[in-house]
Every structure is written in structure tokens, then in C-alpha cells.
Amino acid sequence: MSGPARRRSVPTLRVIAGPDLLRFVTLSPNRQLRIGRDAATDLPLSDPTVSKQHARVVVDAKGSATVFDLQSTNGTAVNNRRIRRAPLRAGDHLEVGDVSLRLDLLTQDELNHLARVCDHLEAAGREADTGLLPRTFLDTGLGTLADQCVRTSVSFSCLAVRIDRLDELRDAHGAGTVHAVGVSTARQLMLGVRDDDPCMRWDPTTVLVFLPGSSEASAAEVADRLRRQIAGHDWARTAPRLLVTVSIGVAARRTGEILSGWVGRACEGARMAAASGRNRVERAGMTWQRGGRRR
């Protein structure tokens, strides 16, 4: 595919909140598509507030899109205004029942990456809700990847991403919202890094992101971009007045360092970031011993 073709914008309707986060469909001229809970629709959604045949989007020959409500039970809205029929433009928010979608313009590279992340969500051997690799990746894949980095003389960095104030979020919004926050955060992290950067569940509050080929300095830049991405997410579409931030620890693997020590330093960096005010990135410069002791 040529450079200009890869940079051409593709209108893409994608879910931005809820259990179907990142699910998407592209809009092309002279196309009609249906959205609903029926698996046979063009964009099937699992939320029970969505009718089996909920809405239809019609794209004319010039690429202009119009959305129609199909007499759904819980209604359709565009930019918070309930509609029967309305134009749909880039940047518009579409509410289908309780599911929030947005019409974005993506490059072909962005669209390909989104598709691969969505494939991860359904792949075997991953967490069902998040698409994250399980903790067993430490034993089944991380060592091989680390050895490859050593053989090719490239840096290998780890990010430990910890959700801030999780107990406060649970008290204020309930366990269901906390679960949704965890799922959304994990999927945003996967979308925010490269296809071959493994993202792994460490514990209920922390995700590890491995960045082969990244120095500690470049990994810290990635971490800060992810931090800003999560803080700037439209969390109010998950729950009213909901705000979510993360604290991130960054550690580059040192020559000969055992994997558990390396990961432990990244997690210690996340704890330091949380203790220093949260919504921060901290490089883990200290060594680490089992039990979280520093030296």
C-alpha cells in the first residue's frame, strides 16, 4: 500500500466505553450497516440496553452518513440529543442504548492496529474481558523475549501501570464500575503501544507493559503518553463524574538482571509514583529484593 493511501482517513465508528470498548466498523460510500445485539448485525454489541436491531447507518455516494433509530427500546442519541434520524459527522458521539460510540477518522495504519488489538481481545490464552496476557507469561514467554533483546543488543524496558485510588473509586461508584475501569484501562494500554509489546496482568490493580527495543528514557516518554491518554479519557461515559488516573513505574532491564528483580523495580516505581501524588511517572533507579525491600 502506498504512502498516501496509508495516510488517507477512514471513517470509523467505534465503541469508546463499556464492555465492547474498541469494537468498531468502518463506513464507506454507498453502504448501509446495522447496529444491535443480534450477532448478525454489522456492529454487534453485548450490552442488554441495546435492542437486537437498534440502529441503521446509511452512507451515501459522497460519504455522508445518516443514523436512523430502528424503534429501539432504549433509544438512540447523537451528541446527547435523542433522535429518530440525524446526520453523523466526524467527532460526533452516538449513544446506542447505554453504549457510547464515536465517529473517528483513522489512518489505515491506525485502523490496522485497532483491528489487531481487537483480535487480541478474542484470542485464546488471554483474559476474557481485557485481552491481557495472564501472569503465566512470566514463565512462558518473557524469558524468550528478554533473551532475544540480549542477543540483538537492544534495550528492554518494563512499565508497571497502577490504577490510582481504586478503593475510593469502589466506594464512590461500586464494584461494577471498578471492573469497567480495569477493563477500559487495560484495553487503552494495549491500543496505546505497539502490536508486539506484551501487556500482562500482574495483580488486580496493576498491568505490566513490556517494551522491547526501548531505553528507559524512551519508555518513560511512552509511559507519560499513556498516563495522559488514560487521564484524558471520557470516563463520564462509564459513570457520572468518574475520573481515573494511573501511576506508572519505568525500569530498563540491567545486564544480567533476573526478571523478577526487574519487574519488581518497575512495580516499586509505580508505588513511588502513587506515594508522590499519583498520576505520575517514576523511573525505578533502585535495586529490588523479594518482599519489596529496596537497597
Side-chain angles (χ1 to χ4, degrees):
M1 185 179 293
S2 66
R6 296 180 74 87
R7 291 191 296 270
R8 186 172 58 243
S9 296
V10 180
T12 305
L13 190 60
R14 59 174 167 174
V15 180
I16 59 171
D20 296 307
L21 179 69
L22 303 186
R23 188 166 291 179
F24 72 97
V25 66
T26 57
L27 307 185
S28 54
N30 297 315
R31 183 181 181 188
Q32 294 191 31
L33 59 92
R34 290 183 178 244
I35 303 170
R37 203 156 34 87
D38 191 328
T41 59
D42 300 281
L43 184 58
L45 303 172
S46 62
D47 194 285
T49 65
V50 177
S51 297
K52 289 186 176 181
Q53 297 284 332
H54 196 110
R56 182 174 80 248
V57 178
V58 178
V59 188
D60 66 20
K62 296 181 179 180
S64 298
T66 304
V67 59
F68 298 82
D69 181 73
L70 298 178
Q71 298 182 331
S72 64
T73 301
N74 294 301
T76 301
V78 174
N79 297 329
N80 299 316
R81 182 176 63 87
R82 191 147 176 165
I83 59 96
R84 292 184 178 177
R85 167 181 176 168
L88 195 60
R89 302 179 178 90
D92 282 348
H93 286 88
L94 173 63
E95 308 290 338
V96 178
D98 289 344
V99 178
S100 296
L101 305 96
R102 187 176 63 229
L103 183 58
D104 292 326
L105 297 177
L106 304 182
T107 66
Q108 190 61 53
D109 284 341
E110 290 173 327
L111 189 60
N112 291 343
H113 178 55
L114 175 60
R116 286 189 287 266
V117 172
C118 288
D119 287 342
H120 289 334
L121 303 182
E122 300 178 1
R126 291 176 175 262
E127 284 189 353
D129 289 343
T130 65
L132 292 172
L133 292 164
R135 188 163 175 157
T136 54
F137 176 72
L138 289 176
D139 302 317
T140 60
L142 183 58
T144 299
L145 190 55
D147 289 344
Q148 289 174 352
C149 289
V150 171
R151 286 197 303 272
T152 54
S153 299
V154 299
S155 300
F156 195 7
S157 292
C158 174
L159 310 181
V161 184
R162 178 176 177 175
I163 300 174
D164 292 328
R165 296 187 172 93
L166 207 58
D167 289 340
E168 295 177 27
L169 292 177
R170 184 177 291 105
D171 292 342
H173 299 281
T177 296
V178 167
H179 176 74
V181 166
V183 170
S184 179
T185 300
R187 294 187 182 188
Q188 289 182 68
L189 292 173
M190 293 170 62
L191 187 65
V193 296
R194 299 165 298 187
D195 298 336
D196 54 356
D197 292 337
C199 297
M200 189 202 86
R201 168 70 61 201
W202 177 249
D203 62 31
T205 66
T206 306
V207 174
L208 299 181
V209 180
F210 296 101
L211 303 175
S214 292
S215 67
E216 191 166 276
S218 61
E221 293 178 359
V222 172
D224 196 59
R225 174 172 53 78
L226 294 173
R227 179 195 63 79
R228 289 184 279 107
Q229 174 184 323
I230 291 169
H233 181 67
D234 193 355
W235 290 105
R237 294 184 180 274
T238 299
R241 298 179 299 280
L242 176 64
L243 297 173
V244 177
T245 61
V246 293
S247 297
I248 305 179
V250 183
R253 189 182 181 216
R254 296 166 176 167
T255 302
E257 185 174 25
I258 62 172
L259 298 181
S260 61
W262 170 41
V263 169
R265 288 194 302 110
C267 291
E268 181 66 15
R271 287 190 287 271
M272 290 172 57
S276 300
R278 303 183 181 91
N279 193 24
R280 294 168 56 91
V281 173
E282 287 280 354
R283 295 196 199 184
M286 77 294 292
T287 59
W288 177 89
Q289 294 177 318
R290 290 189 181 277
R293 297 188 300 275
R294 285 174 284 172
R295 65 178 184 180

